[in-house]
Amino acid sequence: MATLLKNGTLITASDTFQADILIEGETIRQIGKDLSHPNAEVIDAKGKLIMPGGIDPHTHFDLPMFGTVSSDDHYTGHKAAAFGGTTTVMDFVPLDSPLPAPFGGASRGEGQRGQGDFQYSVDQWMKKAEKAAIDYSFHMNLTDFNEKIAREIPFLMDMGITTLKVFTAYNGRLRIDDGSIFKALRIARDNGMLVMAHCENGDVIEALIPEALAAGNTSPEHHALTRPAPGAVEATLRLAAMAEEADAPVYIVHMNAGGEVDMLKYMRERGVKVMGETCPQYLFFTIGHLRRPDGAKWICSPPMRTEKDNSRLWEGLSEGIVQTVGTDHCPFFFDGTKPIVYEGSEITIPGKELGKDDFTKIPNGLPGIQDRMPVLWTYGVGAGRITPNQFVAYMSTNPAKIFGMYPRKGALVPGAEADIVIWDPQKKVRYGVAHSHQRTDYNLYEGWELTGYPDKVFLRGKLIVDGSEWKGSRGGGRFIKRGRGEIL
Ligand code: URP
Ligand code: ZN
Ligand code: ZN
């Protein structure tokens, strides 16, 4: 099977140029002027932009939390991703164990902690992901640490899992102490792995939450007020300092506070191998959104900050201090008592209403996987905040490099897998829940006017999105065993 994309404008992380692309089977065979092929299907991409498929480095599908589960699974979330131009996702595997707590794991990161088992945890997640519709990879949550776990970390490399997420918050549940994080950084360094860090001050949060509740401060804004920005800034500096001490790389996930950009800049200028990811929600929204009557829609951790933080994060992208934009896609229904229709069937999943009287019971997380590329195109590239090449770098090429998939993914070069988006820069969309395939009852960008949207999306040479038509399939996605990544 061959496909010839004619007359498009290719956008890569470094260049913009006119060329044709010949796809044969699953890969890009040739890129050049005036290509021909005796029996390829020809697609005229005149006036369109051609980019490598997006890579979302941060998702949570089918994740049990707060007595419910994130409402997109490894099929519905993948489908939504594809409609937004994303062809590879990286999901976090909770560290679990076949044995019940306290002897074993604690049901995917909740409740009392026990000794996790990597193989068991990955097997569980592999089973959930059998319905994958786009390509996917896993990060491992390192939410427990002891000598046995330390010995087993390097074997994750054999599974193609080269990344570990650590938490400086969620005391007693997901957090491990700083000494264990330091040891994990050294193990990662010695094995070509990368530690990813959730940076907040868990001790301060645990002090503030009971005070807020005791004072009757139970509304969504108190979620943000009990997780203050200086804790995120300090934890980012702390992780970068530990990375320096361990001579290891570290990647700060979901950067949300302007001060984190300052810390990243400072430590990168010192030569520390620290990289960072922000998410669209931290570029556009503030604690003001949590004060709205429907403020629970914006509850995630870390929380929304201020407009000043939004601006500094944009600067982090435009100045190249921050390397990637992920979504932290972890959707819940706003009102999980009312069904929505998804692929012709009604579905109801308990959601944010679980915490209507107590912000600590609101499931943490937001939808965003389909929104990421279209929203960043219009309000990033279109608004002149980032260039089209930076867009491709942050959306695709940098995650491919950092997470050990480049140039198989994230590149428009002969030999790369033909994950390709044909982007219509003129297409106007009034965006919102009706337009989105994310399986939830709301969209954070409701009513936003977009200019520029994916027209066709190819996964390894197969057309999976054609305008508004879904041509992908359950099980059409493939697990990507990753190698050693680059430090950007
Ligand atoms: O609220 C969020 N972000 N939920 C997902 C878990 C995490 O820390 O990324
Ligand atoms: Zn996190
Ligand atoms: Zn996350």
Side-chain angles (χ1 to χ4, degrees):
M1 190 188 75
T3 308
L4 187 52
L5 310 181
K6 297 285 292 179
N7 308 315
T9 300
L10 277 58
I11 304 189
T12 71
S14 53
D15 293 302
T16 302
F17 56 100
Q18 302 273 326
D20 301 340
I21 300 184
L22 176 64
I23 302 167
E24 269 181 356
E26 296 196 337
T27 55
I28 295 175
R29 184 63 55 209
Q30 228 184 326
I31 296 180
K33 294 272 185 205
D34 303 319
L35 298 184
S36 61
H37 187 279
N39 38 34
E41 184 191 343
V42 177
I43 294 175
D44 186 7
K46 193 169 166 42
K48 306 280 197 317
L49 308 175
I50 300 185
M51 312 181 207
I55 298 173
D56 188 338
H58 193 148
T59 67
H60 302 280
F61 300 122
D62 205 355
L63 177 68
M65 189 198 290
F66 289 25
T68 183
V69 64
S70 61
S71 60
D72 265 322
D73 63 22
H74 296 256
Y75 169 71
T76 65
H78 286 199
K79 178 176 169 182
F83 272 101
T86 292
T87 49
T88 302
V89 285
M90 309 180 72
D91 208 62
F92 289 83
V93 179
L95 182 53
D96 207 347
S97 158
L99 300 172
F103 307 105
S107 294
R108 296 167 283 271
E110 302 258 347
Q112 194 179 355
R113 219 168 52 197
Q115 193 175 75
D117 177 328
F118 291 138
Q119 187 68 58
Y120 175 80
S121 310
V122 172
D123 288 349
Q124 297 303 299
W125 231 243
M126 285 286 188
K127 209 168 286 162
K128 279 175 178 260
E130 279 171 2
K131 57 180 86 150
I134 59 174
D135 286 358
Y136 62 101
S137 173
F138 293 153
H139 308 293
M140 189 72 224
N141 277 357
L142 190 65
T143 49
D144 201 357
F145 193 84
N146 54 41
E147 277 181 21
K148 177 175 172 284
I149 288 174
R151 273 195 308 276
E152 286 180 4
I153 288 173
F155 295 104
L156 285 165
M157 291 291 280
D158 300 335
M159 299 183 220
I161 298 174
T162 61
T163 36
L164 303 160
K165 183 179 178 189
V166 298
F167 297 79
T168 62
Y170 305 111
N171 293 7
R173 290 189 292 151
L174 305 178
R175 181 178 178 181
I176 57 173
D177 62 82
D178 287 354
S180 300
I181 291 177
F182 177 67
K183 287 179 189 164
L185 281 161
R186 290 200 301 203
I187 295 168
R189 172 201 66 196
D190 292 344
N191 293 279
M193 300 176 81
L194 176 65
V195 169
M196 311 166 78
H198 174 123
C199 292
E200 293 185 281
N201 188 314
D203 293 339
V204 169
I205 293 165
E206 299 306 328
L208 292 176
I209 287 177
E211 282 177 20
L213 294 179
N217 295 326
T218 56
S219 63
E221 77 168 295
H222 294 282
H223 173 77
L225 294 173
T226 54
R227 314 184 79 91
V233 178
E234 164 272 309
T236 294
L237 179 63
R238 187 168 12 129
L239 261 291
M242 282 197 269
E244 183 175 12
E245 287 154 356
D247 190 23
V250 70
Y251 173 98
I252 312 297
V253 295
H254 45 50
M255 287 174 55
N256 52 94
E260 291 184 281
V261 178
D262 300 334
M263 294 305 110
L264 212 65
K265 182 169 156 61
Y266 168 67
M267 290 305 253
R268 285 173 67 82
E269 284 172 358
R270 284 172 59 88
V272 178
K273 294 171 243 171
V274 56
M275 300 173 277
E277 158 201 283
T278 189
C279 311
Q281 55 269 29
Y282 302 120
L283 297 166
F284 296 110
F285 304 117
T286 69
I287 186 172
H289 290 85
L290 278 82
R291 296 190 178 116
R292 292 169 37 146
D294 60 349
K297 289 177 180 172
W298 280 269
I299 292 267
C300 68
S301 297
M304 305 299 122
R305 306 295 185 187
T306 66
E307 282 179 12
K308 223 170 136 196
D309 292 290
N310 300 155
S311 303
R312 186 67 184 129
L313 288 161
W314 275 117
E315 284 169 9
L317 290 174
S318 59
E319 293 171 19
I321 302 164
V322 174
Q323 286 64 49
T324 70
V325 178
T327 58
D328 200 2
H329 180 78
C330 187
F332 295 93
F333 281 43
F334 175 60
D335 182 355
T337 65
K338 297 202 184 83
I340 62 166
V341 176
Y342 191 89
E343 290 195 343
S345 302
E346 286 199 342
I347 178 152
T348 321
I349 303 172
K352 304 273 187 182
E353 77 286 353
L354 293 171
K356 66 178 169 15
D357 301 319
D358 177 352
F359 71 86
T360 66
K361 296 193 166 59
I362 300 172
N364 284 205
L366 311 173
I369 200 159
Q370 181 172 344
D371 319 330
R372 179 182 74 132
M373 293 178 73
V375 168
L376 263 285
W377 180 265
T378 296
Y379 295 93
V381 178
R385 288 159 154 156
I386 54 172
T387 67
N389 306 103
Q390 283 179 315
F391 176 84
V392 170
Y394 300 143
M395 295 293 149
S396 178
T397 306
N398 286 358
K401 288 182 174 175
I402 292 169
F403 296 111
M405 293 184 281
Y406 188 84
R408 176 180 176 185
K409 301 284 188 193
L412 295 179
V413 292
E417 292 186 351
D419 298 344
I420 291 174
V421 186
I422 301 182
W423 195 273
D424 182 350
Q426 309 299 339
K427 181 155 178 163
K428 294 208 180 289
V429 172
R430 193 178 163 79
Y431 199 59
V433 70
H435 199 89
S436 167
H437 295 268
Q438 294 164 169
R439 194 169 64 174
T440 179
D441 58 349
Y442 75 99
N443 189 284
L444 295 177
Y445 307 92
E446 196 62 49
W448 286 34
E449 302 288 348
L450 304 181
T451 304
Y453 207 78
D455 178 36
K456 294 185 196 302
V457 179
F458 295 85
L459 173 70
R460 284 180 275 103
K462 183 181 181 312
L463 185 63
I464 58 169
V465 171
D466 191 3
S468 57
E469 197 183 337
W470 174 236
K471 293 169 105 59
S473 60
R474 278 173 199 268
R478 182 183 286 167
F479 179 73
I480 305 295
K481 277 182 101 171
R482 294 183 285 117
R484 202 186 181 110
E486 295 176 37
I487 298 161
L488 299 185

